[in-house]
Amino acid sequence: MIQRIQTIYLILAFVITGILPFLFPLWTMNDGKDYFFMKNQIYVILLGLSTTLTVLSIVSYKKRQNQFVIGRLNIILNLILLGLFVYRSLNLSGETVLVSEKGIGMFLPIIAIVLLVLANKAIKKDEDLVKSVDRLR
């Protein structure tokens, strides 16, 4: 399980969606306070689902097809999360004086999407290799 490159990508995606949002704020308010994802219920739910799907994909390493589908769902979920971050930042930055600067936490879904795409490419490569070996038998 751990010797496959897609597992490494999935573990990194787990760290990005499950651990790093607690460390990096989404943006900083004008009063100097950091705005973390835990202050908005939708962000908590979406990041929790993304983390859960990543763990589910890691433990379903024997079923490559299911792993691939879970990875695709996770990519879509992270795209929705990224869209919400962008929408919120574009609306808040121009209309209110509360948000002073955007944080690193807003870019975490982009990194997670890249890692999930790389994991899906590796899963697809493994699946094609298994199919080609089955044809030779």
Side-chain angles (χ1 to χ4, degrees), residues 46-63:
L46 290 177
L47 278 169
L49 280 173
S50 177
T51 305
T52 304
L53 285 176
T54 305
V55 169
L56 190 62
S57 183
I58 290 171
V59 298
S60 66
Y61 63 93
K62 289 186 179 181
K63 300 176 183 173

Side-chain angles (χ1 to χ4, degrees), residues 1-136:
M1 174 177 102
I2 195 71
Q3 69 270 18
R4 294 171 43 196
I5 189 69
Q6 60 262 34
T7 306
I8 303 298
Y9 291 142
L10 290 170
I11 288 172
L12 288 173
F14 167 76
V15 168
I16 288 173
T17 59
I19 297 171
L20 291 183
F22 290 101
L23 303 176
F24 296 117
L26 296 177
W27 49 78
T28 305
M29 302 296 208
N30 270 343
D31 57 359
K33 293 182 181 176
D34 291 334
Y35 187 90
F36 286 93
F37 79 100
M38 296 155 302
K39 293 183 180 179
N40 193 332
Q41 192 69 24
I42 294 173
Y43 299 155
V44 172
I45 291 170
L46 290 177
L47 278 169
L49 280 173
S50 177
T51 305
T52 304
L53 285 176
T54 305
V55 169
L56 190 62
S57 183
I58 290 171
V59 298
S60 66
Y61 63 93
K62 289 186 179 181
K63 300 176 183 173
R64 286 176 301 278
Q65 201 63 5
N66 288 346
Q67 197 177 24
F68 187 77
V69 170
I70 292 170
R72 286 251 172 117
L73 289 174
N74 205 351
I75 290 169
I76 292 169
L77 191 64
N78 276 302
L79 283 172
I80 292 170
L81 186 64
L82 180 64
L84 285 174
F85 285 164
V86 169
Y87 175 75
R88 177 79 186 239
S89 70
L90 290 177
N91 277 347
L92 286 182
S93 63
E95 295 177 5
T96 184
V97 294
L98 293 177
V99 177
S100 65
E101 66 182 51
K102 292 155 188 66
I104 296 173
M106 288 190 63
F107 301 107
L108 291 178
I110 296 171
I111 301 168
I113 289 168
V114 169
L115 289 171
L116 290 167
V117 166
L118 290 172
N120 271 1
K121 284 179 92 173
I123 292 166
K124 183 74 171 151
K125 187 177 175 183
D126 277 358
E127 187 67 27
D128 291 343
L129 179 66
V130 169
K131 285 181 182 178
S132 71
V133 169
D134 283 345
R135 273 184 271 171
L136 291 176

